[in-house]
Amino acid sequence: MDVNTEAKRILAVSISKLYASRSQRGGLRLHRSLLLSLVMRSARDIYHSAYAQAAAEEAAAAMDREEDKEVEEEEDMEDVFESETDSEDKENMNPSRHSRKRRGNTSAAPDFLPSKRARLEPGEERHAVLLGAVVPLGAMGLGSCRVGESLNAFSINRVAMPAC
Amino acid sequence: SAGGGSEDMQWCFSQVKGAIDDDVAEADIISTVEFNHSGELLATGDRGGRVVIFQQEVENKSVPEYRSEYNVYSTFQSHEPEFDYLKSLEIEEKINKIRWLPQKNASQFLLSTNDKTIKLWKISERDKRPEGYNLKEEDGRYINPGNVTSLRVPVFRPMDLMVEASPRRVFSNAHTYHINSISVNSDHETYLSADDLRVNLWNLEINDRSFNIVDIKPANMEDLTEIITAAEFHPHHCHTLVYSSSKGSIRLCDMRASALCDQHTKLFEEPEDPSNRSFFSEIISSISDVKFSHSGRYLMTRDYLTVKIWDLNMETRPIETYQVHEYLRNKMCSLYENDCLFDKFECCWNGNDSVVMTGSYNNFFRMFDRAQRRDATLEASREHNLPLQLLKPRRVCTGGGGGGGCSKRKKDEISVDSLDFNKKILHTAWHPNDNIIAVATINNLYIFQDKVSDPDSADDLSASDMMCTI
């Protein structure tokens, strides 16, 4: 199996593990979540560099169709990673890509639109800590309204989550 | 025997505890094993929150062949499942760790912990009871005072031994994240508890207050790159503790330096070998267990593929590295998919720090003799359960080819592809003063002892059959 295919497979496996871990007894395990995100980042980096090569080739047009699907997958993952990598991603992304990501992507959508990602602002995070309602690993916000770890996180945000 | 030195050990089966059933109930899965300081008691914890304590059979202690007979001494429910209403999270009752306190009086004390709460249990024996009350019958019914014509003093009379476990302290609400370690300090007054991001210091007598001594939580959780995986106090220096990380480093802290030990005194870290880099490098370098040697001079760490011995005086690299199951390096993708790559193996020292032991898959466990530079692979299996039956060393063969890789079809060889990854040994313990070991498979506890040498016996394996030179 070539590295690129393996990277894709690992990404897929990792994402399903991430979603499965949310329904685990005992709650999200920080250690496991961190390791999963590190594996995914390695796989994503390999995947991106492979993409950068492929995009330069003649077959770029045929890739575009596939890319749309992958971008959605890849941008789901972006919610999982540290924010410092976001700027990196923009550089890596092919500007000619048409993003099919749903409204709410923090890097593309205007600020006044509700964020898909249940990210707490720094002040709110402190508040959450005091209440003992910290969602482990903020980067694991996973954006989605399906994440229901903390009732308090929802009440703090008071964001109308778009239907998923 | 030919080739045998006095230090070469051969191991015999002694006992196995637990159900024979192959259909394992989740609650029965053993999650921790620990001898007490004398080795007379052996405690296990399971996922159902129960603690079972075995006691070395007193009459047989002095008979070498039967000295490792352990019988159930006490069983109690330590933790129950709980629900954190604030976070909408269930708190598992699984016992993560048990640590014994050194014995101070007739009772025994141990600390047991689940993900969030540590409890101090007192285990005491009762072998007498008062009899001859004036106002109560023996069965407890009250006597009409009008019928009492004489006065007597109740006396203690012997009764059948009863072992009682009672919770003396409950240490709760100090951990936001999941507790992975507890460690009793050599001052016998304090202990530490560690979760993914913090280490807290407690006084055994005080349960409503703890001091945070290590906090690696970043201001922004998105910057999180490393978590605490294990922590332990130095066996003799009450001011020294170590904690291991998911990045494969160990930090030693001195509590005299400052109240908050975020700045380490020493950092033990080995640079990664770039040729071994893979998608899974971070997972396999995460340390799953850290243990001081009894001498306090060395540290042992376990990561997915290796056991490393560190000298406290040298931070740059370990002094010894032992491959536990290097043949798994090529299987990491499948091990990641079936979750085995996340397994957390423990490790332990023998009493004089000359041998270390850790578990593997297929119910194999590994021993590394540091002095002799030899290692052995043994199996905990129901197939070899005759009393005092000698354990034969196992070998995993890795060659390619259609035959599964084993070039010679030896009975004791097995190919990597035939290994049963559901049969894992995560928890092992070594008696502090003797060559008796407790090895936990998923739901059984095996007890082995070293073979008592009999010069007349014809079935002694030579030491070279037993061990392979590293």
Side-chain angles (χ1 to χ4, degrees), chain A residues 9 14 29 82 131-132 149, chain B residues 86-87 115 222 336-337:
Chain A
R9 179 167 160 212
S14 305
R29 301 241 155 219
E82 291 89 321
L131 290 173
E149 279 91 6
Chain B
L86 207 60
K87 299 183 197 173
D115 284 336
E222 290 171 16
Y336 179 66
E337 287 182 38

Side-chain angles (χ1 to χ4, degrees), chain A residues 9-10 14 17 25-32 36 46 82-83 117 119 125 131-132 137-138 149, chain B residues 86-90 92-93 115 177-178 196 219 221-222 224 227 279-280 283 286 336-337 339 344:
Chain A
R9 179 167 160 212
I10 288 169
S14 305
K17 282 188 193 296
R25 254 191 106 207
L28 263 186
R29 301 241 155 219
L30 192 62
H31 189 191
R32 184 182 171 87
L36 284 174
I46 304 274
E82 291 89 321
S83 57
R117 179 179 183 172
R119 175 166 48 179
E125 195 195 66
L131 290 173
L137 193 53
E149 279 91 6
Chain B
L86 207 60
K87 299 183 197 173
S88 286
L89 280 181
E90 194 181 0
E92 281 187 274
E93 66 277 28
D115 284 336
Y177 302 96
H178 296 102
D196 295 316
M221 277 298 269
E222 290 171 16
L224 183 76
I227 60 128
F279 289 113
F280 308 108
I283 300 189
S286 178
Y336 179 66
E337 287 182 38
D339 263 2
K344 297 190 171 123

Side-chain angles (χ1 to χ4, degrees), chain B residues 301-335:
Chain B
T301 57
R302 175 73 154 97
D303 52 54
Y304 191 72
L305 294 177
T306 70
V307 164
K308 292 178 178 162
I309 311 289
W310 304 76
D311 185 320
L312 285 192
N313 298 318
M314 186 165 78
E315 299 167 60
T316 49
R317 56 182 168 78
I319 55 169
E320 294 153 36
T321 299
Y322 300 107
Q323 303 297 334
V324 180
H325 37 219
E326 177 68 13
Y327 47 78
L328 294 183
R329 196 180 280 277
N330 300 328
K331 306 275 174 202
M332 289 203 289
C333 204
S334 345
L335 293 168

Side-chain angles (χ1 to χ4, degrees), chain B residues 400-444:
Chain B
C406 294
S407 48
K408 299 174 191 172
R409 283 289 188 178
K410 283 193 193 163
K411 214 161 45 110
D412 302 326
E413 284 195 358
I414 182 170
S415 79
V416 185
D417 301 310
S418 311
L419 293 173
D420 187 343
F421 289 97
N422 293 318
K423 292 185 177 168
K424 53 191 85 168
I425 290 176
L426 303 174
H427 312 286
T428 59
W430 204 306
H431 190 291
N433 309 314
D434 199 349
N435 286 327
I436 299 171
I437 55 176
V439 171
T441 58
I442 289 295
N443 67 327
N444 287 148

